[in-house]
Amino acid sequence: MTRIDAKFAELKAASKKAFVSYIMAGDPDYQRSLEIMKGLPEAGVDIIELGVPFTDPMADGPTIQLAGQRALAGGMTLEKTLQMAREFREDDDTTPIVLMGYYNPIYNRGVERFLTDAKDAGIDGLIVVDLPPEEDDELCIPASEAGLNFIRLATPTTDDKRLPKVLENTSGFVYYVSITGITGAAAAEAADVAPEVARIKAQTDLPVIVGFGIRTPETAQTIASVADGCVVGSAIVGEIAKGAPVSGVLDFVRGLAEGAHRA
């Protein structure tokens, strides 16, 4: 059982929905990024998604693209992202960490070395948005064998024919993308999301977490109420981009978490 599996078991026992937050590693700089990360669990975050900055983030909208550019300009790398996780783990051995990014940095490091290093750093799961199920032998299956959850995205365009393939080797949870398009592009609507979550849950026992288009505590509550929880990324990254102090960012996150936990 991974930390992700344990967290969902704990939430289910408490009849509570999950709140997942995304931050870009190294944004606005290494130290403040680490400080924000360390404060997320106390702010109510159940699972941390840690973005790995990449030069060509095709699934991300402008807010997260700019965060990645700031991080890269500050010298952030995959190695430094893993170092952030190591430093986080010095004080917190229970909050799950999911690395979210693209395959190129992993490929450059070498899959075997990356998986060993990620496991040693305390990473629990991976979301690699540009590796389809047809390439599961490349990373998904080796990651699962190494004890890491490989979390797959389902979208509004994932039809009933495609869905079983998407779910085949997925573990930890299913990330349902609530809108068609890039991150931060539109607002999520519970009325649209609910039947899609039900459709996915009819084919898997995994929790379904909804992301994209959630910016307020109210939306976090309504979306979490029709799923097993929700993810917020662009709205949090946007607060960081505004230059909000660490305490301000964490207060913003706390409001979102409270919204999700009211669901």
Side-chain angles (χ1 to χ4, degrees), residues 24 33 51 62-63 128 155 188 218:
M24 177 65 73
S33 181
T63 300
V128 183
T155 74
E218 294 73 25

Side-chain angles (χ1 to χ4, degrees), residues 6 27 65 71 74 80 119-120 144 149 169 178 198 202 211 226 252 255 260:
D27 177 44
Q65 285 190 21
K80 289 182 179 178
K119 188 74 176 171
D120 289 347
S144 299
N149 291 127
N169 293 311
S178 65
V226 299
F252 181 73

Side-chain angles (χ1 to χ4, degrees), residues 8 12 18 32 38 79 86 111 119 129 157 161 179 183 185 187 189 212 219 223 230-231 237 250 258 262:
F8 279 112
K12 186 175 182 180
R32 278 182 287 178
K38 286 185 172 183
E79 174 54 41
R86 292 184 198 103
V111 168
K119 188 74 176 171
V129 297
T157 60
K161 183 178 179 182
I179 57 173
T183 58
E189 297 289 345
F212 287 43
T219 309
I223 294 298
C230 67
V231 184
V237 173
L250 294 175
E258 289 171 355
R262 283 195 297 269

Side-chain angles (χ1 to χ4, degrees), residues 206-229:
L206 292 171
V208 179
I209 305 299
V210 178
F212 287 43
I214 301 168
R215 301 188 184 91
T216 66
E218 294 73 25
T219 309
Q221 181 178 355
T222 58
I223 294 298
S225 71
V226 299
D228 295 300

Side-chain angles (χ1 to χ4, degrees), residues 20-34:
V20 183
S21 71
Y22 170 97
I23 61 169
M24 177 65 73
D27 177 44
D29 56 56
Y30 184 93
Q31 206 51 49
R32 278 182 287 178
S33 181
L34 178 60

Side-chain angles (χ1 to χ4, degrees), residues 58 101-104 106-107 111 126-141 150-153 162:
M58 60 186 178
Y102 298 82
Y103 185 49
N104 184 277
I106 297 169
Y107 177 80
V111 168
L126 305 174
I127 299 175
V128 183
V129 297
D130 54 348
L131 271 184
E134 286 73 18
E135 305 297 334
D136 274 358
D137 288 341
E138 190 81 16
L139 180 63
C140 173
I141 291 171
F150 198 90
I151 296 143
R152 190 80 69 191
L153 275 65
R162 179 66 173 167

Side-chain angles (χ1 to χ4, degrees), residues 85-98:
R86 292 184 198 103
E87 292 191 51
F88 177 86
R89 285 283 175 240
E90 291 172 6
D91 303 312
D92 186 321
D93 194 42
T94 56
T95 304
I97 304 172
V98 176

